[in-house]
Amino acid sequence: MSEPSGTASRGRVVGAMTALGGIGLLVGFLLGLVTFGLVGTPLSLSVEAPSGQLLFTLGTYLGLAAVGGLYLLRHELGVSFVRIRRPTLVDLGVAAATVLGLLVLAVALPTLIERLGLPLADHSIADSIEANPAVALVFLPLSVFVVGPAEEFLYRGIIQTRLTSVFDTASAVAVAALIFAVIHFFAYLDPANVPGTIVTVFLLLLPLGAILGGVYEYSGNLVVPALAHGFYNAITFGLSYADTVGLV
């Protein structure tokens, strides 16, 4: 059965896409645990060690991407649905400009939030990096080749594209960004700092998702936000490593 377009209500599509994003995260998490259990446990690896994080993250994001792939198969949709093609020089320039813009926001937004007296929360991986800075180095290639592409495939390529069938482009970008931000709530959840988690999700992740979504629609090529997302994450992990070991 082909993917419905004008037959479903907006509310139904938003609910379905939110569920898809949540299922992707859940399946990814479970596959990450299974991957670590099957490979890491027999090798007596620690999940907090760089090798353990590598296995868990690979499993997690391959699972996330697999959910997107199954969605395409279920609805008999080809890869063209997610609008992916070989990037041109213009595409690469847009990706580079996006990375720069995201880095500027990564400095400006927390500064503004701090001046407003609002709390922030760190990603759950921050504690592992604090304990072992080498974990951050593992995420340099993972961000570019696994995390960025997998998340953009599901959240922009599939979820946002599906939303454009019932919303205008700007609204679809906004709703997809909201789904992206909310789905990441538990990755930033600090039970002792729930307000900080909420501020981080809605004032940091929501703008990031909106920018990546806007770039996707502007370029018409999933590779552009995937590169931007991956390299942005890699740079932030590199800076985190440098800060933790005292290089900056």
Side-chain angles (χ1 to χ4, degrees), residues 148-176:
E151 289 201 329
E152 292 309 302
F153 171 61
L154 182 62
Y155 293 104
R156 246 62 65 181
I158 295 177
I159 291 177
Q160 183 171 303
T161 299
R162 179 66 179 96
L163 289 168
T164 59
S165 68
V166 292
F167 288 100
D168 61 81
T169 301
S171 297
V173 169
V175 175

Side-chain angles (χ1 to χ4, degrees), residues 92-162:
L92 295 177
V94 171
T98 303
V99 172
L100 180 59
L102 291 176
L103 290 173
V104 170
L105 280 183
V107 174
L109 287 179
T111 300
L112 176 60
I113 292 170
E114 183 179 342
R115 289 184 178 179
L116 292 174
L118 299 174
L120 286 171
D122 290 324
H123 192 283
S124 56
I125 196 64
D127 290 338
S128 297
I129 294 174
E130 187 69 28
N132 187 348
V135 169
L137 298 181
V138 169
F139 278 91
L140 298 183
L142 280 177
S143 294
V144 175
F145 297 108
V146 179
V147 178
E151 289 201 329
E152 292 309 302
F153 171 61
L154 182 62
Y155 293 104
R156 246 62 65 181
I158 295 177
I159 291 177
Q160 183 171 303
T161 299
R162 179 66 179 96

Side-chain angles (χ1 to χ4, degrees), residues 189-195:
L189 178 60
D190 180 355
N193 183 23
V194 174

